Amino acid sequence: MQPLIDNARTFGQRPEEFAKLAEGQSPQVLFITCSDSRVVPALITGARPGQLFELRTAGNIVPPHTSQHPTSEAATIEYAVEVLGVRDIVVCGHSHCGAVGALVRGDDLTAVPAVRDWLAHATPRPAGQAEDPEVAMGVQAHVLTQLLRLRSYPCVERQLAEGQLGLHAWYYEVHTGAVRAHRPQTDTFESL
């Protein structure tokens, strides 16, 4: 913890670099990814403060949209699209994902009921090879499922119909730093 505290103490010593951020934000991209500490959206994309609006959830899950029971995820998506006017949404999964790995392997999650219940939103269960530590196939299928789920959000559906929004599926390899994007024409994840 001490290195983080030391950095936080010196971080604000250049106020001129941050003054413009007080005027508001206008990110062009909503970046939905896993809470995993090895996935750092600004590091992956090179984004500076104010350029990415982030939504991080265990397993980069986008829960089903329901107006009867709004979620913080739905509120974040709606705010990004309707208020901030993002023009693109990236759903980025990653190799070695514990959440997707647990789903692929069918792990017993009774000891962590909140995790178990959250991962139930990932249906259908991603396919993949249980012995693969990268769970690449499972993560990639899971990312595409989350992208489809995004399409059911009214604000996303409306902006897509108007041609005002782009959706992107990415796969990040934590062990190499490589990023692959889904190409609908070939239904494969290829290097950016």
Side-chain angles (χ1 to χ4, degrees):
M1 184 70 186
Q2 194 58 49
L4 301 177
I5 292 170
D6 293 343
N7 189 66
R9 283 185 180 136
T10 61
F11 188 72
Q13 293 181 357
R14 301 177 313 274
E16 64 281 355
E17 293 180 32
F18 299 96
K20 287 193 75 72
L21 295 175
E23 298 170 13
Q25 61 176 325
S26 56
Q28 296 299 302
V29 178
L30 168 60
F31 199 92
I32 301 173
T33 195
C34 186
S35 303
D36 191 299
S37 63
R38 300 168 294 178
V39 181
V40 183
L43 185 62
I44 294 167
T45 63
R48 300 290 301 149
Q51 292 184 316
L52 285 181
F53 198 66
E54 294 181 27
L55 172 58
R56 299 187 67 153
T57 68
N60 54 271
I61 292 174
V62 176
H65 182 270
T66 172
S67 57
Q68 293 80 20
H69 302 286
T71 64
S72 64
E73 295 81 18
T76 300
I77 293 164
E78 186 177 83
Y79 188 81
V81 172
E82 297 290 0
V83 177
L84 297 176
V86 299
R87 293 290 159 236
D88 291 282
I89 300 176
V90 174
V91 177
C92 182
H94 67 93
S95 68
H96 304 86
C97 182
V100 174
L103 291 167
V104 167
R105 291 185 301 272
D107 289 355
D108 178 5
L109 300 173
T110 54
V112 283
V115 173
R116 178 197 61 219
D117 295 349
W118 174 250
L119 294 182
H121 289 298
T123 58
R125 184 173 138 189
Q129 299 171 340
E131 66 281 352
D132 175 15
E134 290 180 40
V135 289
M137 280 181 37
V139 169
Q140 291 172 8
H142 174 71
V143 166
L144 294 175
T145 298
Q146 303 319 298
L147 210 62
L148 283 174
R149 181 144 323 129
L150 262 176
R151 292 176 175 276
S152 71
Y153 281 63
C155 60
V156 172
E157 183 180 41
R158 186 172 41 259
Q159 292 295 327
L160 285 171
E162 295 173 6
Q164 300 297 312
L165 187 64
L167 298 180
H168 312 273
W170 285 10
Y171 172 71
Y172 170 65
E173 293 180 344
V174 299
H175 57 292
T176 67
V179 179
R180 303 182 187 289
H182 182 256
R183 305 288 185 226
Q185 306 85 339
T186 59
D187 194 26
T188 58
F189 281 79
E190 300 173 14
S191 297
L192 288 176

